[in-house]
Amino acid sequence: MKNMKKIGKQISALCLSLVVLLTMCIWPVNAAEAPSSITVKREAVMESYIGDNNGFTAYITNDNVIVYCMELIKKGATTGTNYSFLEDGDAGLLYIMENGYPNKKITNRNEIDRYITQSAVWWYLDEVTGAGNLSTAFQTTDKEAYPGIRDEIKKLVNNAKNAKSQTIPSMNVTLNDGSIQLTADKKYYESNYITVELNGVSEYKVSLDNKDATAVNENGEVKTNFKAGEKFKIRIPESKATKDINITAKVTATGNINAVATYKPENSEFQKVVSSKIYNKKINLENTISLSGDSKLICKIENGKYYGKNGYEVDEKTYNKECSSSVVTVPNTSANVSMIILGIGTILVVGGLSLIVYRYRLNKN
């Protein structure tokens, strides 16, 4: 029986070594917001895979989510202990949860993977906080049930220590001048182009508080959603512009990051825990800009006042002249004066001769 047991351990050790060399399998991660509270229960007592007395209690929530203890110097919680959200775990804890059990497979046995992951949590916290969870013997000389277990723990810990925090989504909106000006063709009032720099986000949305105004990209396309790198400007038709133009533009975007949640117990004698579930945390971004302009009333009558083609107040005659829809043709009065005089002289000469002839005939008779 002893030989059979020894052979069994050797086979298991061989399997462990082979699986360690294989590419890790990624298990599906359910992305959702972390709950504000959880209730835990004891699931099993894990075997001591390193040393003789280094077993531990395994916990799950009432929703069957595996959680890992964080403070070995404290007691393990009793079944039914309530926990409240504490904070997001740091980049190292996130790395261990993303690459540990149950999100990734490390060996050919789930219970060993779970043991490796729990040990990595305590070991990592020892390294970064000096918590003193694990003994020096555990980390160095205690015998492994199967070769390679300690190496896998150390690999998780070292990678966790080197893990960098995720890029937090951010947005920067730049507008050099908030004025709105009339376009050259006098069809629109427009702002300058507005630049939106996004980090960790692929698109943004523009909403305006003026129903007649629109946001357009550099191709003149009216849009609400813009891709990262697209500029936009605000446009309002000249016919819809009031005397004083005031528009508020709200630029919004939503980014996402992975996160793991840590929880504190209602009884401070128990260990804090970190959830193995990878959560999707939304980062909502918002920036508001104000635009304004003085609209010239082009060819309009307002409050009894007339405004001509240049937007300035004029008299009614000038208004009719500049803004009439029909073209008024003014006759050319610059005829040659000498021609006029010659015409008049000709008429007088002909008239005089006619009168003389008329009187001559009258006297003769």
Side-chain angles (χ1 to χ4, degrees):
M1 290 296 292
K2 289 184 178 180
N3 290 335
M4 289 298 293
K5 187 175 181 179
K6 185 176 181 180
I7 293 172
K9 283 193 173 185
Q10 291 174 343
I11 293 173
S12 296
L14 178 61
C15 291
L16 173 62
S17 300
L18 290 173
V19 173
V20 165
L21 295 174
L22 297 177
T23 301
M24 304 291 185
C25 297
I26 301 177
W27 289 19
V29 177
N30 187 0
E33 293 289 340
S36 59
S37 62
I38 59 174
T39 301
V40 304
K41 59 184 178 181
R42 292 173 177 248
E43 184 180 30
V45 176
M46 302 294 294
E47 182 180 339
S48 180
Y49 287 101
I50 294 181
D52 296 325
N53 299 302
N54 295 315
F56 58 82
T57 303
Y59 290 91
I60 60 172
T61 69
N62 284 348
D63 297 325
N64 295 317
V65 176
I66 292 173
V67 295
Y68 291 102
C69 297
M70 299 173 64
E71 303 164 292
L72 187 55
I73 58 175
K74 290 187 176 183
K75 298 177 183 178
T78 56
T79 294
T81 298
N82 295 317
Y83 280 75
S84 58
F85 178 81
L86 178 60
E87 61 186 357
D88 291 334
D90 65 13
L93 284 177
L94 175 61
Y95 179 87
I96 293 172
M97 292 303 105
E98 287 181 325
N99 294 278
Y101 182 81
N103 296 316
K104 281 191 180 179
K105 197 163 182 64
I106 302 171
T107 72
N108 64 329
R109 291 178 59 182
N110 291 345
E111 61 269 27
I112 295 178
D113 290 356
R114 195 165 180 176
Y115 189 90
I116 289 171
T117 305
Q118 174 62 85
S119 300
V121 170
W122 283 322
W123 196 327
Y124 168 73
L125 293 173
D126 285 349
E127 292 281 339
V128 298
T129 69
N133 289 305
L134 299 172
S135 67
T136 302
F138 180 93
Q139 298 178 9
T140 56
T141 59
D142 278 348
K143 186 178 180 181
E144 301 170 85
Y146 307 109
I149 292 179
R150 184 181 285 112
D151 288 341
E152 287 303 312
I153 298 171
K154 290 169 66 176
K155 185 189 297 183
L156 273 179
V157 171
N158 289 333
N159 288 338
K161 287 168 60 180
N162 293 326
K164 295 181 180 179
S165 298
Q166 297 177 86
T167 299
I168 303 300
S170 63
M171 176 175 67
N172 183 41
V173 180
T174 303
L175 174 62
N176 293 328
D177 183 354
S179 65
I180 296 180
Q181 303 291 337
L182 187 65
T183 57
D185 60 10
K186 299 181 181 179
K187 291 183 178 180
Y188 301 98
Y189 282 92
E190 289 184 342
S191 70
N192 291 322
Y193 276 109
I194 299 164
T195 301
V196 180
E197 297 177 0
L198 297 175
N199 192 13
V201 185
S202 60
E203 65 176 18
Y204 64 93
K205 181 178 181 179
V206 177
S207 56
L208 307 173
D209 66 349
N210 187 315
K211 64 180 179 62
D212 296 317
T214 56
V216 298
N217 64 10
E218 292 175 282
N219 295 323
E221 299 170 327
V222 177
K223 300 179 69 175
T224 299
N225 295 306
F226 295 81
K227 295 180 180 179
E230 274 191 294
K231 295 180 181 179
F232 74 95
K233 61 183 175 182
I234 306 303
R235 169 186 288 175
I236 184 170
E238 186 280 328
S239 60
K240 300 291 185 180
T242 58
K243 180 66 174 134
D244 295 315
I245 305 172
N246 292 289
I247 301 173
T248 298
K250 184 164 68 174
V251 183
T252 57
T254 301
N256 296 279
I257 59 173
N258 286 341
V260 288
T262 63
Y263 293 86
K264 61 180 180 180
E266 58 186 358
N267 184 341
S268 60
E269 293 182 357
F270 297 150
Q271 297 192 55
K272 292 183 293 187
V273 298
V274 55
S275 174
S276 65
K277 191 171 184 178
I278 310 301
Y279 298 98
N280 187 267
K281 187 175 182 179
K282 289 184 179 180
I283 307 295
N284 294 319
L285 307 170
E286 181 177 315
N287 200 314
T288 301
I289 54 177
S290 297
L291 305 164
S292 62
D294 183 13
S295 168
K296 291 183 178 179
L297 303 175
I298 297 175
C299 286
K300 290 183 180 179
I301 303 173
E302 186 171 285
N303 299 325
K305 296 181 179 180
Y306 297 88
Y307 296 87
K309 65 179 182 180
N310 293 320
Y312 297 107
E313 187 177 352
V314 296
D315 56 30
E316 183 178 1
K317 182 178 179 181
T318 303
Y319 171 84
N320 290 332
K321 180 180 178 181
E322 293 183 352
C323 302
S324 175
S325 58
S326 60
V327 178
V328 179
T329 303
V330 180
N332 183 3
T333 58
S334 60
N336 190 290
V337 175
S338 60
M339 292 297 294
I340 295 174
I341 294 174
L342 179 62
I344 294 173
T346 302
I347 293 172
L348 290 175
V349 171
V350 172
L353 290 174
S354 297
L355 181 61
I356 293 171
V357 171
Y358 173 75
R359 282 183 176 179
Y360 172 78
R361 288 178 178 179
L362 183 63
N363 293 330
K364 188 178 180 179
N365 293 329

